[in-house]
């Protein structure tokens, strides 16, 4: 997994922009309004997301419309799935261990 993706998503405003774009394409102005930042700031954040390959842009007249690229998020999900399997196994082992401890702590009926 490319660290550029993580760096781009680590900034709260950029993560917010990605969350907004999950609902569909937006213009820079719409993004700025919804995030609560000025348009030049939104453009800088969008440039980072664009450079990281997380969004693409389409120019329509004088408007720039941004949308999410699906592939980087598929790759991120696949990478995270490898860790999910590892942690699922560890939590299952912990659960078994805790049940063993609880069984040992129960007083036996005489």
């Amino acid at each position: 997994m490319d660290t550029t993706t993580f760096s781009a998503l680590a900034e709260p405003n950029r993560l917010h922009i990605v969350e907004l774009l999950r609902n569909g394409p937006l213009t820079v102005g719409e993004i700025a309004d919804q995030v609560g930042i000025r348009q030049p700031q939104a453009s800088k954040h969008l440039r980072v997301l664009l450079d990281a390959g997380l969004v693409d842009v389409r120019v329509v007249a004088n408007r720039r419309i941004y949308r999410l690229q699906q592939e980087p998020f598929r790759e991120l999900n696949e990478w995270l799935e490898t860790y999910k399997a590892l942690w699922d196994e560890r939590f299952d082992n912990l659960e078994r261990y805790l049940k063993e401890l609880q069984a040992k702590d129960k007083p036996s009926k005489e």
Side-chain angles (χ1 to χ4, degrees):
M1 176 70 354
D2 186 2
T3 59
T4 306
T5 300
F6 290 111
S7 296
L9 295 174
E11 202 284 329
N13 285 321
R14 288 195 289 268
L15 186 57
H16 190 181
I17 290 168
V18 167
E19 290 295 321
L20 289 172
L21 291 173
R22 287 177 62 195
N23 297 321
L26 294 169
T27 65
V28 177
E30 292 168 330
I31 291 168
D33 289 343
Q34 291 185 42
V35 175
I37 57 178
R38 294 177 311 148
Q39 195 162 333
Q41 290 173 300
S43 293
K44 286 180 183 179
H45 288 304
L46 287 161
R47 170 56 62 192
V48 172
L49 294 171
L50 185 65
D51 290 345
L54 298 172
V55 299
D56 68 4
V57 62
R58 183 170 45 101
V59 178
V60 177
N62 64 342
R63 298 175 1 164
R64 299 175 69 78
I65 301 170
Y66 288 85
R67 69 182 177 108
L68 290 180
Q69 290 282 44
Q70 293 181 10
E71 189 56 32
F73 293 98
R74 277 192 204 109
E75 291 173 8
L76 180 59
N77 186 56
E78 289 171 10
W79 181 79
L80 289 171
E81 282 296 319
T82 63
Y83 287 93
K84 181 183 180 301
L86 173 73
W87 282 104
D88 284 346
E89 180 182 338
R90 289 183 179 181
F91 284 127
D92 289 345
N93 290 339
L94 177 61
E95 182 178 21
R96 278 191 293 280
Y97 176 71
L98 292 174
K99 285 181 180 179
E100 288 173 15
L101 287 178
Q102 287 174 340
K104 288 179 185 178
D105 287 343
K106 284 186 181 179
S108 59
K109 294 185 181 181
E110 296 178 24

